Amino acid sequence: MTATSVDPPTSDLVTVTVSTVDAVARVTAVGEIDSTSAPVLREYLESVLDGGAQEFVVDLVQVTFLDSAGLCVLAAAHRRAGERGMRMRVLAASRAVIRPLQITGLWSLLGASEVSAESGAA
């Protein structure tokens, strides 16, 4: 996938990669997603939403921290995906990600799935 900007956004807290197979894009985040790193995730999700994939997976299996800024980014991506008729899936493995999603009701809304960190993301 080609990034929309010359220099992709960066953060010391999170690393985000995008891969595409057929019409399915996978956005993989590694590290912490908070108010300083959430904009990085948002930029990558927006590029996927604008890129024409029919479906995309947000892989948060290696995320160690997720706060309200990250939750807002995920909710906004879900809303935009719905407007475009795209399917969005979220994968998580750690309590640090699963619990905030559950408490806010986003776990159900996003159709998130728990996967084993040891076996890798599905």
Side-chain angles (χ1 to χ4, degrees), residues 20 23 26 33-35 53 59 71 79-80 86 100 104 108 110:
T20 304
R26 182 183 204 97
I33 302 174
D34 65 7
S35 61
D59 182 344
L71 295 169
R79 182 183 45 79
R80 283 193 63 204
M86 296 172 70
T104 58
S108 297
L110 300 176

Side-chain angles (χ1 to χ4, degrees), residues 14-69:
V14 70
T15 302
V16 181
T17 57
V18 176
S19 59
T20 304
V21 177
D22 298 326
V24 180
R26 182 183 204 97
V27 179
T28 303
V30 178
E32 299 179 9
I33 302 174
D34 65 7
S35 61
T36 60
S37 60
V40 174
L41 178 61
R42 181 178 54 241
E43 288 293 322
Y44 281 94
L45 289 174
E46 287 177 356
S47 72
V48 167
L49 285 161
D50 294 337
Q54 295 173 359
E55 176 180 346
F56 65 102
V57 176
V58 183
D59 182 344
L60 303 176
V61 171
Q62 297 180 68
V63 169
T64 57
F65 180 80
L66 178 67
D67 78 355
S68 59

Side-chain angles (χ1 to χ4, degrees), residues 2 4 6 22-23 39 53 56 62 70 72 86 88 117 122:
T2 306
T4 56
V6 176
D22 298 326
F56 65 102
Q62 297 180 68
C72 287
M86 296 172 70
M88 174 179 166

